[in-house]
Amino acid sequence: MRTAVLCTILAVAPCLARTITVDDDGPADFTSIQLAIDDSENGDIIEAQPGTYREHISFYGKRITVTGTNPQDRNVVYTTVIDGSDSGNTVTFDSGEDSESVLTGVTVQNGNIPIYCYFSDPIIEDCVVRYGKAEEAGGITGNNAAPLIRRCRL
């Protein structure tokens, strides 16, 4: 009997993933991507509405997806902006993130380094990365990292 209950719980657990909405100036779960990340659990999707999010974000080792509303639409990607305000790293992966940590469908700009990976191997796809002070690798750099970068404009 205990085995059947445990199997049922484990089968339902993946269904608990949430989609958390973020909008910099409108009704949503959060107005900040980082606050949504802080509230998220592994498996969650954080969907940012078009707008400019002036912040630095870190995945903190979470296996989540941060996405714009339509990664396949360049107009949406160009208008969903994470802006580091010319300081620090705009997006940081430095807590052992792997291929279950995904950044997709946003523009990342204006950090010392727009995207920094340290001992992490996330997926970065369908993004625009620009205006970093350190332009190595088109604005994506790091140490001991092997991010999978697909269909990005650097």
Side-chain angles (χ1 to χ4, degrees):
M1 178 65 165
R2 285 187 214 173
T3 304
V5 171
L6 181 59
C7 289
T8 301
I9 290 170
L10 292 176
V12 173
C15 299
L16 299 177
R18 300 177 294 161
T19 297
I20 301 168
T21 59
V22 181
D23 193 333
D24 66 333
D25 65 355
D29 298 316
F30 293 93
T31 57
S32 159
I33 295 170
Q34 187 61 57
L35 290 175
I37 291 171
D38 294 347
D39 187 64
S40 71
E41 300 291 334
N42 288 338
D44 286 349
I45 297 169
I46 296 169
E47 183 180 76
Q49 298 295 313
T52 300
Y53 301 89
R54 297 186 193 287
E55 60 183 313
H56 303 101
I57 68 169
S58 177
F59 275 57
Y60 294 124
K62 293 186 178 182
R63 294 175 169 175
I64 58 174
T65 297
V66 173
T67 182
T69 57
N70 186 350
Q72 306 310 310
D73 183 333
R74 276 289 178 205
N75 291 326
V76 172
V77 174
Y78 273 101
T79 59
T80 308
V81 179
I82 305 170
D83 189 306
S85 300
D86 294 324
S87 68
N89 304 322
T90 306
V91 176
T92 301
F93 296 96
D94 66 354
S95 299
E97 291 87 357
D98 61 17
S99 62
E100 292 184 57
S101 299
V102 179
L103 178 68
T104 183
V106 298
T107 294
V108 180
Q109 67 184 31
N110 293 335
N112 287 339
I113 298 171
I115 300 176
Y116 181 71
C117 302
Y118 181 76
F119 286 95
S120 296
D121 306 324
I123 294 177
I124 303 163
E125 61 187 3
D126 299 313
C127 290
V128 174
V129 183
R130 61 185 181 183
Y131 308 142
K133 291 180 181 177
E135 289 297 330
E136 306 91 23
I140 301 173
T141 191
N143 294 307
N144 297 305
L148 177 57
I149 302 167
R150 298 188 285 215
R151 299 179 305 275
C152 289
R153 182 177 177 133
L154 306 174

